Amino acid sequence: MTETPPPKNSTPRKRCPICGRLADAAYQPFCSLRCADVDLARWLGEVYRVPATEDEPDDDET
């Protein structure tokens, strides 16, 4: 009788964006609370920014 291989995980474990270790399910997408806090501090310190465009003036307001 042939053995069937174990099922492959449909989603491979991802790496922590801060340190590169394997992510922990409790802190997704990070590996630890420390890395999650580092990421939060970067957002609060405006290291990360979401690009924005200036609003174009409406032609109807004349």
Side-chain angles (χ1 to χ4, degrees):
M1 190 189 250
T2 61
E3 290 185 35
T4 58
K8 292 183 179 179
N9 190 357
S10 61
T11 56
R13 289 186 61 187
K14 298 193 179 207
R15 299 256 174 208
C16 175
I18 302 300
C19 70
R21 291 188 288 179
L22 288 177
D24 187 334
Y27 302 106
Q28 282 289 0
F30 308 103
C31 67
S32 66
L33 180 60
R34 179 195 166 278
C35 285
D37 287 345
V38 167
D39 185 70
L40 178 61
R42 289 179 181 176
W43 278 105
L44 295 175
E46 297 183 2
V47 174
Y48 300 144
R49 295 184 183 172
V50 178
T53 59
E54 295 292 325
D55 291 333
E56 295 181 17
D58 293 334
D59 291 335
D60 296 337
E61 296 180 16
T62 54

